[in-house]
Amino acid sequence: MKIVLASSNKNKIKEFKRILEPLDIELVTQTELGVIEVPETGVSFEENSIIKSKNAYVQTNLPTIADDSGIEVDALNGEPGIFSARYAGEPSNDEENNKLLLKNLKNSDSK
């Protein structure tokens, strides 16, 4: 069985391949199939996963799975949430996102 992973995140690809390996499922990434990504306009992780999965399915006509995740910090009212990967703006990286998160946490402690 072949399933499309609607993600370009290298770490998620490795994780999903490891999880699905014992099930004799061939995991193919949307990148390998030339899927054009769509903006993640959902207001939750679940909505963004559905958007990505439907998009890849429409373009490939293959069963598709997707995942959206991030960190939600109670002290920051749930930030960065669905914006975790681009918390420090676009383009950004883990280091920039983490620096901003720590800065905002420090500032929230002083309030």
Side-chain angles (χ1 to χ4, degrees):
M1 173 186 240
K2 184 186 286 191
I3 294 179
V4 178
L5 175 60
S7 177
S8 300
N9 181 307
K10 289 180 173 72
N11 291 326
K12 283 187 185 179
I13 294 166
K14 281 185 202 175
E15 182 179 0
F16 272 91
K17 283 187 176 185
R18 181 182 51 77
I19 291 167
L20 297 174
E21 184 178 35
L23 302 176
D24 197 30
I25 292 174
E26 179 186 355
L27 187 69
V28 193
T29 67
Q30 64 181 11
T31 305
E32 292 175 83
L33 297 175
V35 171
I36 299 166
E37 293 185 38
V38 292
E40 296 176 28
T41 56
V43 295
S44 67
F45 296 124
E46 181 180 4
E47 285 183 15
N48 282 337
S49 293
I50 291 168
I51 289 167
K52 293 187 286 189
S53 185
K54 283 183 177 180
N55 175 63
Y57 174 76
V58 166
Q59 293 184 50
T60 64
N61 204 32
L62 291 169
T64 305
I65 57 175
D67 172 61
D68 195 41
S69 60
I71 184 171
E72 294 179 328
V73 180
D74 289 340
L76 298 176
N77 299 313
E79 286 185 14
I82 61 171
F83 304 106
S84 295
R86 52 193 181 278
Y87 190 51
E90 291 190 64
S92 62
N93 57 41
D94 288 345
E95 183 178 347
E96 292 168 347
N97 291 330
N98 290 337
K99 281 183 185 178
L100 180 59
L101 180 62
L102 291 173
K103 176 184 170 190
N104 289 343
L105 275 170
K106 183 178 177 183
N107 290 338
S108 76
D109 282 345
S110 62
K111 291 182 183 177

XYZ file of all heavy atoms in Angstrom:
858
model
N 0.838 -1.173 0.000
C 0.000 0.000 0.000
C 0.887 1.242 0.000
O 1.859 1.319 0.732
C -0.918 -0.001 1.218
C -1.706 1.283 1.371
S -2.640 1.321 2.906
C -4.264 1.486 2.240
N 0.511 2.221 -0.793
C 1.244 3.478 -0.883
C 0.410 4.588 -0.266
O -0.771 4.731 -0.568
C 1.536 3.813 -2.349
C 2.386 5.055 -2.535
C 2.531 5.446 -3.998
C 3.466 4.501 -4.696
N 3.834 4.988 -6.047
N 1.036 5.364 0.632
C 0.379 6.490 1.288
C 1.265 7.725 1.132
O 2.478 7.655 1.279
C 0.141 6.208 2.784
C -0.856 5.066 2.952
C -0.364 7.453 3.501
C -1.139 4.715 4.394
N 0.617 8.859 0.870
C 1.330 10.126 0.750
C 1.373 10.799 2.115
O 0.362 10.869 2.816
C 0.625 11.066 -0.257
C 1.352 12.406 -0.344
C 0.532 10.418 -1.622
N 2.546 11.305 2.471
C 2.682 12.137 3.661
C 2.684 13.588 3.207
O 3.583 14.017 2.472
C 3.965 11.814 4.430
C 4.248 12.716 5.636
C 3.123 12.621 6.669
C 5.588 12.369 6.259
N 1.686 14.331 3.640
C 1.557 15.733 3.249
C 2.419 16.591 4.169
O 1.934 17.325 5.030
C 0.098 16.165 3.292
N 3.726 16.455 3.988
C 4.688 17.230 4.767
C 6.003 17.296 4.006
O 6.339 16.376 3.260
C 4.934 16.578 6.129
O 5.910 17.287 6.856
N 6.718 18.381 4.211
C 8.072 18.511 3.658
C 9.095 18.559 4.784
O 10.283 18.752 4.544
C 8.170 19.783 2.805
O 7.245 19.723 1.743
N 8.626 18.387 6.011
C 9.478 18.445 7.186
C 10.300 17.156 7.288
O 9.741 16.070 7.485
C 8.603 18.645 8.429
C 9.384 18.741 9.708
O 10.196 17.873 10.015
N 9.127 19.783 10.473
N 11.611 17.280 7.156
C 12.494 16.109 7.145
C 12.364 15.263 8.410
O 12.406 14.033 8.352
C 13.942 16.553 6.937
C 14.218 17.053 5.544
C 15.680 17.491 5.411
C 16.071 17.833 4.000
N 15.558 19.022 3.442
N 12.217 15.910 9.562
C 12.093 15.153 10.815
C 10.778 14.393 10.880
O 10.736 13.252 11.346
C 12.240 16.086 12.017
C 13.656 16.611 12.149
O 14.611 15.909 11.837
N 13.785 17.845 12.588
N 9.690 15.014 10.402
C 8.399 14.309 10.396
C 8.435 13.139 9.418
O 7.876 12.083 9.702
C 7.264 15.269 10.023
C 6.860 16.158 11.156
C 5.640 16.966 10.825
C 5.373 17.930 11.971
N 4.221 18.770 11.744
N 9.094 13.322 8.296
C 9.202 12.246 7.308
C 9.913 11.040 7.923
O 9.437 9.913 7.822
C 9.921 12.740 6.034
C 9.059 13.788 5.324
C 10.251 11.579 5.109
C 9.799 14.586 4.252
N 11.039 11.278 8.608
C 11.764 10.187 9.267
C 10.890 9.496 10.305
O 10.855 8.272 10.394
C 13.022 10.734 9.966
C 14.180 10.998 9.076
C 15.364 11.422 9.935
C 16.360 12.203 9.139
N 17.460 12.716 9.973
N 10.189 10.299 11.100
C 9.351 9.744 12.157
C 8.223 8.889 11.586
O 7.991 7.766 12.045
C 8.761 10.889 12.988
C 7.919 10.433 14.144
C 7.366 11.590 14.971
O 7.630 12.767 14.652
O 6.645 11.296 15.941
N 7.539 9.378 10.559
C 6.448 8.614 9.966
C 6.958 7.345 9.286
O 6.315 6.298 9.366
C 5.651 9.473 8.976
C 4.546 10.249 9.623
C 4.765 11.530 10.108
C 3.282 9.703 9.753
C 3.749 12.248 10.703
C 2.258 10.410 10.342
C 2.489 11.699 10.824
N 8.097 7.425 8.614
C 8.650 6.228 7.975
C 8.963 5.162 9.015
O 8.692 3.986 8.815
C 9.890 6.579 7.147
C 9.544 7.234 5.834
C 10.746 7.430 4.941
C 10.283 8.007 3.613
N 11.353 8.132 2.638
N 9.525 5.586 10.152
C 9.848 4.644 11.232
C 8.575 4.003 11.787
O 8.514 2.801 12.017
C 10.613 5.372 12.342
C 11.025 4.483 13.494
C 11.739 5.246 14.597
N 11.047 6.428 15.067
C 9.995 6.429 15.894
N 9.506 5.299 16.328
N 9.442 7.555 16.292
N 7.536 4.802 11.968
C 6.280 4.301 12.523
C 5.602 3.315 11.563
O 5.077 2.281 11.975
C 5.327 5.468 12.843
C 5.877 6.280 14.027
C 3.909 4.979 13.130
C 5.190 7.619 14.239
N 5.611 3.626 10.270
C 4.875 2.822 9.294
C 5.663 1.640 8.737
O 5.086 0.738 8.144
C 4.392 3.710 8.141
C 3.393 4.801 8.542
C 3.096 5.710 7.369
C 2.118 4.187 9.087
N 6.967 1.627 8.956
C 7.824 0.569 8.411
C 7.327 -0.847 8.720
O 7.225 -1.681 7.822
C 9.259 0.760 8.901
C 10.235 -0.210 8.321
C 11.647 0.063 8.821
O 11.807 0.474 9.990
O 12.574 -0.130 8.035
N 6.965 -1.157 9.961
C 6.523 -2.524 10.255
C 5.189 -2.903 9.609
O 4.827 -4.072 9.571
C 6.389 -2.554 11.780
C 6.905 -1.280 12.299
C 7.043 -0.338 11.161
N 4.469 -1.929 9.097
C 3.150 -2.191 8.535
C 3.183 -2.445 7.032
O 2.138 -2.558 6.399
C 2.216 -1.008 8.833
C 2.051 -0.672 10.314
C 1.197 0.576 10.476
C 1.434 -1.847 11.062
N 4.362 -2.510 6.464
C 4.513 -2.751 5.033
C 3.764 -1.700 4.197
O 3.074 -2.015 3.239
C 4.051 -4.163 4.662
C 4.568 -4.591 3.290
O 5.654 -4.126 2.898
O 3.879 -5.369 2.615
N 3.905 -0.445 4.626
C 3.293 0.682 3.914
C 4.405 1.489 3.271
O 5.390 1.845 3.921
C 2.491 1.570 4.874
C 1.272 0.810 5.385
C 2.072 2.874 4.203
C 0.484 1.524 6.453
N 4.258 1.761 1.989
C 5.220 2.603 1.284
C 4.802 4.057 1.482
O 3.752 4.491 1.010
C 5.236 2.277 -0.207
C 6.208 3.133 -0.987
C 6.118 2.911 -2.481
O 5.361 2.026 -2.937
O 6.804 3.655 -3.200
N 5.610 4.791 2.215
C 5.333 6.199 2.469
C 6.048 7.047 1.433
O 7.262 6.947 1.268
C 5.794 6.581 3.874
C 5.418 7.985 4.323
C 3.907 8.086 4.533
C 6.144 8.334 5.606
N 5.292 7.863 0.724
C 5.844 8.746 -0.289
C 5.547 10.174 0.152
O 4.432 10.473 0.602
C 5.196 8.502 -1.670
C 5.987 9.178 -2.762
C 5.044 7.034 -1.957
N 6.517 11.056 0.032
C 6.276 12.431 0.446
C 5.634 13.229 -0.675
O 5.788 12.917 -1.850
C 7.584 13.129 0.857
O 8.417 13.281 -0.288
C 8.308 12.340 1.940
N 4.944 14.273 -0.272
C 4.320 15.142 -1.269
C 5.375 15.781 -2.169
O 5.112 16.010 -3.348
C 3.453 16.195 -0.598
C 4.196 17.177 0.267
C 3.259 18.177 0.923
O 2.048 18.031 0.892
N 3.831 19.202 1.522
N 6.542 16.013 -1.653
C 7.621 16.590 -2.450
C 8.025 15.645 -3.574
O 8.211 16.074 -4.715
C 8.841 16.909 -1.557
O 8.412 17.751 -0.490
C 9.935 17.593 -2.339
N 8.146 14.363 -3.243
C 8.504 13.366 -4.255
C 7.499 13.319 -5.399
O 7.854 13.003 -6.533
C 8.592 11.968 -3.617
C 9.730 11.787 -2.655
C 9.663 10.437 -1.979
O 10.131 9.441 -2.578
O 9.123 10.364 -0.850
N 6.242 13.634 -5.098
C 5.187 13.564 -6.098
C 4.872 14.919 -6.724
O 3.957 15.035 -7.529
C 3.919 12.971 -5.474
C 4.061 11.542 -4.975
C 2.799 11.089 -4.261
C 4.393 10.593 -6.117
N 5.638 15.946 -6.346
C 5.453 17.267 -6.942
C 4.198 17.986 -6.492
O 3.680 18.849 -7.212
N 3.714 17.660 -5.306
C 2.518 18.327 -4.791
C 2.848 19.788 -4.484
O 3.839 20.092 -3.828
C 1.992 17.619 -3.519
C 0.879 18.422 -2.856
C 1.518 16.212 -3.859
N 2.006 20.666 -4.966
C 2.156 22.096 -4.689
C 1.480 22.368 -3.350
O 0.298 22.080 -3.171
C 1.510 22.942 -5.805
C 2.207 22.651 -7.137
C 1.571 24.422 -5.466
C 1.461 23.166 -8.345
N 2.253 22.913 -2.413
C 1.724 23.166 -1.076
C 0.744 24.332 -1.086
O 0.842 25.228 -1.915
C 2.863 23.465 -0.102
C 3.759 22.263 0.144
C 4.811 22.519 1.200
O 4.514 23.210 2.198
O 5.934 22.028 1.026
N -0.184 24.290 -0.145
C -1.144 25.380 0.029
C -0.897 26.034 1.383
O -0.348 25.403 2.288
C -2.608 24.882 -0.049
C -2.951 24.428 -1.446
C -2.884 23.795 0.955
N -1.307 27.282 1.532
C -1.141 27.936 2.839
C -1.936 27.216 3.924
O -3.038 26.729 3.676
C -1.724 29.339 2.604
C -1.699 29.545 1.127
C -1.853 28.180 0.522
N -1.351 27.148 5.106
C -2.017 26.549 6.258
C -2.841 27.651 6.921
O -2.340 28.399 7.737
C -0.988 25.951 7.217
C -0.225 24.805 6.591
C 0.867 24.270 7.499
O 0.745 24.359 8.732
O 1.855 23.757 6.954
N -4.086 27.733 6.553
C -4.947 28.825 7.003
C -5.881 28.427 8.139
O -6.744 29.214 8.536
C -5.789 29.340 5.819
O -6.516 28.240 5.266
C -4.902 29.961 4.744
N -5.722 27.233 8.653
C -6.573 26.777 9.750
C -6.274 27.522 11.034
O -5.244 28.182 11.175
N -7.186 27.383 11.982
C -7.011 28.032 13.283
C -6.631 27.017 14.366
O -6.572 27.361 15.541
C -8.278 28.812 13.712
C -8.543 29.961 12.757
C -9.481 27.900 13.819
N -6.366 25.772 13.934
C -5.952 24.735 14.879
C -5.013 23.765 14.160
O -4.944 23.754 12.934
C -7.173 23.960 15.411
O -7.765 23.214 14.365
N -4.325 22.948 14.940
C -3.463 21.926 14.359
C -4.296 20.976 13.502
O -3.899 20.595 12.407
C -2.737 21.131 15.454
C -1.787 21.951 16.285
C -1.926 22.003 17.658
C -0.755 22.664 15.703
C -1.048 22.750 18.436
C 0.133 23.412 16.468
C -0.023 23.454 17.838
N -5.463 20.619 14.008
C -6.335 19.694 13.280
C -6.760 20.272 11.929
O -6.694 19.585 10.906
C -7.568 19.372 14.127
C -8.514 18.406 13.459
C -9.738 18.098 14.311
O -9.914 18.680 15.403
O -10.535 17.261 13.869
N -7.189 21.524 11.914
C -7.615 22.136 10.656
C -6.467 22.195 9.646
O -6.662 21.937 8.464
C -8.178 23.537 10.892
C -9.559 23.536 11.490
C -10.133 24.932 11.662
O -9.604 25.904 11.062
O -11.120 25.064 12.410
N -5.281 22.546 10.100
C -4.135 22.603 9.188
C -3.794 21.226 8.640
O -3.440 21.087 7.469
C -2.921 23.233 9.870
C -3.025 24.743 9.938
O -3.733 25.370 9.148
N -2.333 25.334 10.888
N -3.912 20.189 9.461
C -3.664 18.824 8.988
C -4.657 18.436 7.901
O -4.290 17.832 6.892
C -3.772 17.823 10.145
O -2.746 18.025 11.065
N -5.904 18.787 8.106
C -6.933 18.470 7.114
C -6.680 19.212 5.812
O -6.780 18.636 4.723
C -8.337 18.779 7.682
C -8.664 17.793 8.807
C -9.399 18.745 6.584
C -9.890 18.159 9.628
N -6.318 20.481 5.901
C -6.020 21.282 4.703
C -4.889 20.639 3.901
O -4.983 20.461 2.681
C -5.655 22.735 5.088
C -6.911 23.474 5.586
C -5.013 23.477 3.917
C -6.615 24.798 6.279
N -3.808 20.266 4.591
C -2.651 19.670 3.911
C -2.991 18.317 3.307
O -2.607 18.016 2.172
C -1.476 19.533 4.888
C -0.899 20.865 5.332
C 0.358 20.717 6.147
C 0.100 20.237 7.534
N 1.310 20.287 8.396
N -3.722 17.512 4.062
C -4.062 16.178 3.592
C -4.981 16.222 2.375
O -4.755 15.527 1.385
C -4.720 15.391 4.729
O -4.962 14.075 4.343
N -6.014 17.047 2.432
C -6.938 17.169 1.296
C -6.208 17.673 0.055
O -6.450 17.193 -1.058
C -8.094 18.107 1.636
C -9.141 17.483 2.510
C -10.291 18.454 2.754
C -11.388 17.812 3.567
N -12.514 18.741 3.802
N -5.323 18.636 0.238
C -4.574 19.193 -0.889
C -3.737 18.115 -1.571
O -3.765 17.980 -2.800
C -3.684 20.340 -0.407
C -2.799 20.875 -1.499
O -3.273 21.401 -2.499
N -1.490 20.733 -1.327
N -3.002 17.335 -0.784
C -2.162 16.290 -1.366
C -3.008 15.204 -2.025
O -2.655 14.685 -3.087
C -1.253 15.685 -0.293
N -4.148 14.879 -1.409
C -5.024 13.864 -1.997
C -5.569 14.322 -3.357
O -5.571 13.559 -4.318
C -6.186 13.525 -1.057
C -7.177 12.598 -1.713
C -6.875 11.249 -1.859
C -8.373 13.071 -2.232
C -7.753 10.386 -2.495
C -9.259 12.217 -2.862
C -8.944 10.883 -2.998
O -9.809 10.041 -3.641
N -6.027 15.560 -3.421
C -6.586 16.081 -4.678
C -5.541 16.031 -5.797
O -5.856 15.709 -6.939
C -7.116 17.523 -4.478
C -7.383 18.206 -5.805
C -8.381 17.505 -3.630
N -4.288 16.301 -5.456
C -3.239 16.333 -6.470
C -2.684 14.957 -6.827
O -2.104 14.791 -7.901
C -2.097 17.254 -6.025
C -2.517 18.717 -5.967
C -1.369 19.622 -5.614
O -0.295 19.550 -6.218
N -1.581 20.476 -4.623
N -2.833 13.967 -5.940
C -2.232 12.654 -6.199
C -3.253 11.531 -6.352
O -2.921 10.475 -6.879
C -1.280 12.251 -5.053
O -2.043 12.092 -3.850
C -0.175 13.283 -4.879
N -4.441 11.725 -5.821
C -5.475 10.693 -5.810
C -5.016 9.431 -5.074
O -5.411 8.321 -5.411
C -5.964 10.368 -7.221
C -7.359 9.783 -7.219
O -8.184 10.110 -6.379
N -7.620 8.891 -8.161
N -4.151 9.636 -4.086
C -3.663 8.533 -3.251
C -4.070 8.794 -1.806
O -4.227 9.951 -1.404
C -2.130 8.444 -3.327
C -1.535 7.996 -4.650
C -0.024 8.222 -4.655
C -1.845 6.524 -4.892
N -4.220 7.731 -1.018
C -4.490 7.944 0.409
C -3.409 8.847 0.998
O -2.220 8.705 0.672
C -4.410 6.541 1.012
C -4.580 5.607 -0.129
C -4.068 6.317 -1.348
N -3.819 9.762 1.841
C -2.901 10.785 2.341
C -3.062 10.967 3.839
O -4.172 10.937 4.360
C -3.187 12.122 1.626
O -3.116 11.925 0.220
C -2.181 13.185 2.010
N -1.932 11.168 4.501
C -1.948 11.517 5.917
C -1.164 12.812 6.099
O -0.303 13.153 5.284
C -1.360 10.401 6.810
C 0.066 10.051 6.391
C -2.257 9.177 6.796
C 0.747 9.035 7.307
N -1.491 13.524 7.166
C -0.799 14.775 7.467
C -0.739 14.943 8.974
O -1.489 14.304 9.716
C -1.522 15.954 6.827
N 0.146 15.807 9.389
C 0.310 16.106 10.799
C 0.645 17.582 10.915
O 1.349 18.131 10.067
C 1.454 15.253 11.363
C 1.818 15.639 12.781
O 0.948 15.529 13.657
O 2.958 16.063 13.001
N 0.122 18.222 11.927
C 0.518 19.589 12.233
C 0.712 19.641 13.729
O -0.123 19.131 14.483
C -0.544 20.591 11.778
C -0.015 22.016 11.747
O 1.135 22.202 11.302
O -0.726 22.929 12.176
N 1.810 20.196 14.143
C 2.091 20.219 15.572
C 2.904 21.455 15.909
O 3.400 22.165 15.032
C 2.860 18.960 15.983
O 4.088 18.892 15.286
N 3.033 21.692 17.177
C 3.809 22.822 17.667
C 3.750 22.813 19.177
O 3.294 21.862 19.796
N 4.192 23.907 19.734
C 4.215 24.028 21.189
C 3.216 25.105 21.605
O 3.111 26.141 20.969
C 5.635 24.345 21.700
C 5.680 24.384 23.216
C 6.169 25.622 21.085
C 7.083 24.475 23.789
N 2.478 24.806 22.661
C 1.546 25.766 23.231
C 1.969 26.005 24.675
O 2.049 25.064 25.460
C 0.114 25.242 23.177
C -0.402 25.092 21.761
C -1.822 24.545 21.701
O -2.209 23.745 22.588
O -2.538 24.919 20.764
N 2.245 27.260 25.011
C 2.744 27.607 26.339
C 1.649 28.335 27.110
O 1.194 29.409 26.678
C 4.013 28.492 26.227
C 4.536 28.858 27.607
C 5.084 27.786 25.408
N 1.226 27.751 28.213
C 0.150 28.349 29.009
C 0.482 29.779 29.440
O -0.385 30.655 29.395
C -0.145 27.504 30.248
C -0.838 26.191 29.921
O -1.427 26.079 28.818
O -0.786 25.275 30.762
N 1.725 30.007 29.852
C 2.127 31.338 30.321
C 2.053 32.385 29.216
O 2.035 33.589 29.494
C 3.545 31.293 30.894
N 1.998 31.936 27.967
C 1.898 32.854 26.825
C 0.537 32.727 26.141
O 0.405 32.991 24.948
C 3.030 32.586 25.820
C 4.447 32.789 26.342
C 5.462 32.403 25.270
C 4.663 34.234 26.777
N -0.455 32.288 26.907
C -1.819 32.134 26.374
C -1.876 31.238 25.143
O -2.601 31.521 24.189
C -2.439 33.498 26.076
C -2.562 34.360 27.300
O -3.018 33.888 28.341
N -2.139 35.605 27.217
N -1.089 30.163 25.164
C -1.116 29.194 24.071
C -0.165 29.474 22.930
O -0.089 28.690 21.984
N 0.557 30.582 22.983
C 1.535 30.852 21.927
C 2.682 29.871 22.057
O 2.943 29.382 23.140
C 2.090 32.284 22.057
C 1.130 33.351 21.640
C 1.767 34.733 21.661
O 3.014 34.840 21.752
O 1.023 35.701 21.587
N 3.391 29.611 20.994
C 3.168 30.033 19.619
C 2.114 29.218 18.880
O 1.656 29.608 17.823
C 4.531 29.879 18.966
C 5.256 28.864 19.769
C 4.694 28.957 21.169
N 1.712 28.064 19.420
C 0.634 27.291 18.814
C 0.879 26.935 17.361
O 1.958 26.451 17.006
N -0.117 27.199 16.517
C -0.008 26.824 15.103
C 1.070 27.616 14.373
O 1.432 27.284 13.258
C -1.356 26.958 14.361
C -1.865 28.391 14.389
C -2.376 25.988 14.916
C -3.079 28.642 13.505
N 1.606 28.649 15.034
C 2.655 29.454 14.420
C 4.052 29.050 14.889
O 5.018 29.766 14.662
C 2.416 30.944 14.710
C 1.061 31.406 14.264
C 0.062 31.652 15.189
C 0.768 31.552 12.917
C -1.206 32.059 14.784
C -0.486 31.955 12.492
C -1.480 32.214 13.431
N 4.181 27.903 15.538
C 5.455 27.477 16.118
C 6.610 27.501 15.122
O 7.695 27.978 15.438
C 5.326 26.068 16.713
O 4.439 26.068 17.795
N 6.401 27.006 13.920
C 7.488 26.917 12.933
C 7.892 28.280 12.385
O 8.996 28.442 11.875
C 7.081 26.005 11.780
N 7.003 29.262 12.500
C 7.310 30.591 11.969
C 7.096 31.671 13.032
O 6.754 32.804 12.731
C 6.484 30.857 10.712
C 5.009 30.634 10.852
C 4.284 30.613 9.504
N 2.852 30.424 9.648
C 2.242 29.265 9.815
N 2.946 28.150 9.872
N 0.942 29.192 9.921
N 7.304 31.303 14.273
C 7.066 32.196 15.412
C 7.901 33.468 15.326
O 7.426 34.553 15.639
C 7.373 31.433 16.701
C 6.961 32.116 17.982
C 5.675 32.603 18.162
C 7.854 32.234 19.033
C 5.289 33.203 19.352
C 7.480 32.823 20.236
C 6.199 33.311 20.387
O 5.826 33.893 21.566
N 9.129 33.352 14.870
C 10.019 34.515 14.768
C 9.871 35.220 13.422
O 10.658 36.101 13.090
C 11.472 34.090 14.996
N 8.876 34.850 12.648
C 8.660 35.452 11.332
C 9.106 34.503 10.244
O 9.548 33.395 10.493
N 8.949 34.952 9.016
C 9.346 34.129 7.866
C 10.393 34.867 7.055
O 10.217 36.053 6.783
C 8.136 33.809 7.000
C 7.166 32.865 7.688
C 6.097 32.345 6.757
O 6.457 31.635 5.807
O 4.933 32.666 6.995
N 11.466 34.225 6.668
C 11.844 32.875 7.087
C 12.422 32.901 8.493
O 12.946 33.922 8.939
C 12.906 32.475 6.065
C 13.559 33.760 5.673
C 12.462 34.807 5.749
N 12.313 31.802 9.178
C 12.941 31.659 10.491
C 13.377 30.218 10.653
O 13.113 29.379 9.809
C 11.977 32.080 11.609
O 10.848 31.255 11.627
N 14.069 29.967 11.756
C 14.530 28.602 12.014
C 14.300 28.286 13.489
O 13.854 29.146 14.258
C 16.001 28.442 11.608
C 16.905 29.429 12.316
O 16.745 29.701 13.506
N 17.871 29.979 11.601
N 14.603 27.072 13.878
C 14.365 26.654 15.262
C 15.078 27.562 16.256
O 14.510 27.928 17.290
C 14.819 25.204 15.476
C 13.903 24.200 14.798
O 12.777 24.565 14.400
O 14.322 23.032 14.659
N 16.313 27.929 15.944
C 17.080 28.764 16.875
C 16.408 30.119 17.082
O 16.247 30.576 18.221
C 18.511 28.959 16.347
C 19.384 29.753 17.298
C 20.807 29.914 16.797
O 21.202 29.225 15.840
O 21.520 30.750 17.374
N 15.978 30.766 16.005
C 15.309 32.071 16.118
C 13.975 31.938 16.847
O 13.629 32.781 17.688
C 15.094 32.669 14.730
C 16.378 33.071 14.038
C 16.184 33.379 12.557
O 15.114 33.061 11.987
O 17.116 33.943 11.958
N 13.236 30.886 16.533
C 11.951 30.663 17.206
C 12.148 30.433 18.694
O 11.400 30.969 19.522
C 11.228 29.468 16.582
C 10.746 29.751 15.175
O 10.434 30.884 14.824
N 10.687 28.722 14.352
N 13.150 29.636 19.057
C 13.423 29.357 20.469
C 13.868 30.609 21.218
O 13.460 30.831 22.363
C 14.465 28.254 20.610
C 13.936 26.901 20.190
O 12.731 26.669 20.187
N 14.835 26.006 19.818
N 14.698 31.432 20.580
C 15.142 32.680 21.217
C 13.953 33.585 21.518
O 13.853 34.151 22.610
C 16.141 33.421 20.321
C 17.539 32.887 20.364
C 18.452 33.733 19.493
C 19.837 33.149 19.427
N 20.728 33.943 18.541
N 13.061 33.737 20.558
C 11.886 34.578 20.775
C 10.983 33.992 21.847
O 10.457 34.723 22.701
C 11.111 34.769 19.465
C 9.863 35.634 19.562
C 10.210 37.038 20.069
C 9.164 35.710 18.214
N 10.813 32.692 21.844
C 9.988 32.040 22.855
C 10.554 32.292 24.254
O 9.819 32.679 25.175
C 9.898 30.534 22.578
C 9.063 29.715 23.543
C 7.608 30.157 23.528
C 9.163 28.239 23.194
N 11.864 32.116 24.423
C 12.491 32.351 25.729
C 12.387 33.818 26.141
O 12.140 34.127 27.314
C 13.948 31.887 25.706
C 14.134 30.369 25.600
C 15.605 30.030 25.404
C 13.555 29.665 26.819
N 12.564 34.715 25.196
C 12.436 36.153 25.476
C 11.022 36.471 25.947
O 10.827 37.179 26.946
C 12.771 36.961 24.218
C 12.584 38.445 24.366
C 12.841 39.159 23.051
C 12.419 40.613 23.144
N 12.429 41.274 21.853
N 10.027 35.942 25.249
C 8.640 36.207 25.629
C 8.287 35.572 26.970
O 7.518 36.149 27.743
C 7.695 35.736 24.526
C 7.778 36.619 23.301
O 8.280 37.734 23.346
N 7.285 36.110 22.177
N 8.850 34.402 27.245
C 8.625 33.777 28.552
C 9.241 34.623 29.668
O 8.627 34.817 30.708
C 9.232 32.369 28.574
C 8.352 31.263 28.026
C 9.147 29.974 27.866
C 7.149 31.036 28.912
N 10.431 35.121 29.428
C 11.095 35.970 30.413
C 10.261 37.224 30.665
O 10.061 37.629 31.802
C 12.501 36.347 29.938
C 13.277 37.167 30.922
C 14.667 37.469 30.406
C 15.401 38.349 31.392
N 16.711 38.731 30.911
N 9.757 37.829 29.598
C 8.944 39.031 29.735
C 7.625 38.739 30.444
O 7.103 39.587 31.163
C 8.674 39.671 28.360
C 9.925 40.272 27.764
O 10.878 40.593 28.467
N 9.922 40.435 26.456
N 7.082 37.544 30.249
C 5.810 37.202 30.902
C 6.011 37.001 32.400
O 5.099 37.255 33.187
C 5.185 35.958 30.274
O 5.853 34.787 30.687
N 7.212 36.582 32.808
C 7.510 36.400 34.226
C 7.560 37.743 34.956
O 7.263 37.808 36.136
C 8.860 35.693 34.422
C 8.764 34.200 34.172
O 7.637 33.679 34.125
O 9.813 33.561 34.004
N 7.953 38.792 34.248
C 8.109 40.092 34.902
C 6.799 40.864 35.014
O 6.761 41.937 35.573
C 9.152 40.931 34.150
O 8.716 41.168 32.816
N 5.721 40.280 34.490
C 4.424 40.983 34.538
C 3.680 40.655 35.800
O 3.754 39.682 36.408
C 3.576 40.618 33.308
C 4.165 41.185 32.054
C 3.280 40.837 30.873
C 3.924 41.367 29.594
N 3.176 41.009 28.426
